[in-house]
Amino acid sequence: MAKQILVTGGCGFIGSNFIHYLLSGHDCNVTNLDKLTYAGNLDNLRDVEGNPRYTFVKGDIADRADVEAAFAAKIDGVVNFAAETHVDRSILDPDAFVATNITGTYRLLEAARKAGVDKFVQISTDEVYGSLGASGKFSEETPLSPNSPYSASKASADMLALSYFRTFGMPVVVTRCSNNYGPYQFPEKLIPLLVTNALEEKQLPVYGDGLNVRDWIHVIDHCRAVHMVLEGGTPGAVYNIGADNERANIEIVKGILAALGKPESLITYVKDRPGHDRRYAIDATKIRRELGFEVSIPFGRGIEETVRWYVENRGWWERIKSGEYAAYYEVMYKGR
Ligand code: NAD
Ligand code: TYD
């Protein structure tokens, strides 16, 4: 019988890409539990709404009754994407980060333990390792040293999840991926913010000196890796996921302006983010060696296709930018 996978946060960026990935060619059914916060968007999954293999449950992972409702049907595997995810928002107000990322993960772990699931994949982030200097990479053994309320809440969730393996023998696996880019990313994050601002001829805000480094991976490659972990990841293990693709922010900014034929005069250096991590870089040797993961989308092609997606799906991001997000943008960038 086809497995029943509970995906949380499926209306967000990575979750919606993952659901598309699962429903196109993989033999499983999907329940999507999503609270529909500002980052959750039903438009991302409009095309699968009528799919008999797909069920949507609106609910909060931090609410016991909502989680129980999602587990009403038999669940074989859980992939927990649901989270508050934006570092800048965690600086403005950490409250929801603690509630969703920590308490929410706990509630899911408890329900999954009672249900006796075959696998629980906790989607974490490389940000739990903190910041690197000019050399070195994060391995799975790098000590956790999170610097923002966002990354601290994710690190807390990792520890809770792994404790359910050690204490209860629950088949939990944690993944820690680097920065994702691709279609359906909320335009508060660097790449969609840059592309959409450039298309609107607005200033492109660059924090600090623009030389912070992120290690970019296409969202589809992240989804492929998560699926491999769901199918074959060793219970109790942590897997780093990355594409060996480090770029300074300013390089990304200039590349996007060039791709769109827009002038570099749109670049505006603004006040740095407090506690801004300098550099992230992932050593993904373990997932390559153990599960055979290989990157399929080189950055040059991936970024070109991504820029084109935002050009061609203007309605998608214009609806977001004209709504509640507009008020956030005012608070975050006014007078910075
Ligand atoms: P996102 O902000 O685009 O989406 C988050 C989704 O979770 C939204 O649909 C939102 O409605 C939902 N959600 C939030 N709180 C919820 C709650 N209490 N109950 C149920 N649903 C809730 O996030 P994303 O970028 O797609 O990230 C998904 C996961 O991947 C997160 O756990 C994040 O930490 C992790 N991650 C992201 C990146 C990245 O570059 N975006 C990199 C590594 C890891
Ligand atoms: P972001 O997309 O918020 O991801 P994260 O902080 O989780 O890595 O930011 C990526 C990088 O881009 C980070 O170094 C901060 C920087 N940045 C800017 O320079 N300007 C911006 O407006 C934003 C949102 C981010």
Side-chain angles (χ1 to χ4, degrees):
M1 214 171 93
K3 292 212 167 190
Q4 190 71 41
I5 308 299
L6 174 64
V7 175
T8 69
C11 295
F13 165 47
I14 308 173
S16 60
N17 277 284
F18 186 67
I19 290 175
H20 281 126
Y21 180 75
L22 282 185
L23 293 177
S24 60
H26 297 95
D27 185 26
C28 61
N29 298 317
V30 175
T31 301
N32 171 16
L33 173 64
D34 198 297
K35 186 180 177 182
L36 296 180
T37 67
Y38 79 93
N41 188 343
L42 287 170
D43 285 348
N44 298 2
L45 290 167
R46 213 48 92 194
D47 54 330
V48 302
E49 270 173 4
N51 189 322
R53 292 167 52 208
Y54 173 73
T55 308
F56 175 63
V57 179
K58 182 177 182 308
D60 183 345
I61 61 165
D63 183 292
R64 195 179 282 119
D66 286 355
V67 172
E68 278 170 8
F71 276 86
K74 167 99 179 93
I75 297 293
D76 300 299
V78 178
V79 185
N80 182 25
F81 288 101
E84 288 292 333
T85 62
H86 193 38
V87 174
D88 293 326
R89 287 186 191 250
S90 83
I91 296 166
L92 283 179
D93 185 2
D95 207 69
F97 289 75
V98 173
T100 289
N101 301 1
I102 306 177
T103 307
T105 301
Y106 159 67
R107 297 248 184 269
L108 283 174
L109 286 164
E110 272 298 288
R113 181 162 78 94
K114 286 185 193 132
V117 298
D118 299 336
K119 191 65 73 67
F120 187 108
V121 183
Q122 171 63 14
I123 304 296
S124 185
T125 163
D126 62 354
E127 302 195 25
V128 296
Y129 296 121
S131 185
L132 289 166
S135 63
K137 291 188 177 213
F138 298 132
S139 81
E140 288 82 357
E141 275 70 52
T142 303
L144 303 194
S145 183
N147 291 316
S148 70
Y150 163 64
S151 53
S153 67
K154 294 295 288 186
S156 309
D158 287 19
M159 296 294 92
L160 260 180
L162 291 170
S163 81
Y164 273 61
F165 169 73
R166 294 190 193 111
T167 307
F168 305 115
M170 206 172 119
V172 172
V173 188
V174 172
T175 63
R176 296 186 182 137
C177 190
S178 59
N179 286 63
N180 285 217
Y181 68 97
Y184 301 108
Q185 186 166 29
F186 196 88
E188 68 188 351
K189 302 283 167 58
L190 182 69
I191 288 180
L193 179 79
L194 295 174
V195 177
T196 59
N197 274 17
L199 287 170
E200 294 181 306
E201 309 265 340
K202 284 189 184 152
Q203 296 297 305
L204 272 48
V206 176
Y207 296 171
D209 61 6
L211 296 178
N212 297 65
V213 171
R214 296 294 183 261
D215 190 353
W216 295 95
I217 185 171
H218 193 280
V219 64
I220 291 301
D221 278 327
H222 184 193
C223 291
R224 289 175 50 250
V226 168
H227 187 240
M228 285 177 170
V229 169
L230 178 64
E231 302 255 289
T234 306
V238 173
Y239 293 94
N240 282 352
I241 303 169
D244 284 319
N245 181 48
E246 289 180 53
R247 311 271 160 169
N249 291 339
I250 193 66
E251 186 191 339
I252 300 277
V253 177
K254 289 185 176 171
I256 286 172
L257 286 172
L260 291 170
K262 300 287 182 184
E264 291 192 2
S265 56
L266 287 175
I267 296 172
T268 312
Y269 288 90
V270 300
K271 196 161 152 274
D272 209 354
R273 169 189 281 172
H276 194 178
D277 288 336
R278 191 62 173 171
R279 176 172 164 260
Y280 301 146
I282 275 278
D283 176 350
T285 308
K286 181 176 175 181
I287 192 168
R288 280 202 299 269
R289 199 183 50 228
E290 283 191 18
L291 302 180
F293 174 69
E294 291 295 341
V295 171
S296 71
I297 306 180
F299 187 70
R301 189 182 109 212
I303 194 75
E304 194 189 306
E305 287 174 3
T306 300
V307 169
R308 198 178 324 126
W309 189 87
Y310 289 93
V311 169
E312 288 170 0
N313 290 275
R314 205 174 171 117
W316 180 86
W317 55 264
E318 278 182 346
R319 275 193 292 283
I320 294 170
K321 283 189 129 176
S322 59
E324 179 264 355
Y325 173 63
Y328 162 83
Y329 198 85
E330 266 293 296
V331 174
M332 179 52 64
Y333 293 98
K334 199 173 173 197
R336 186 166 181 165

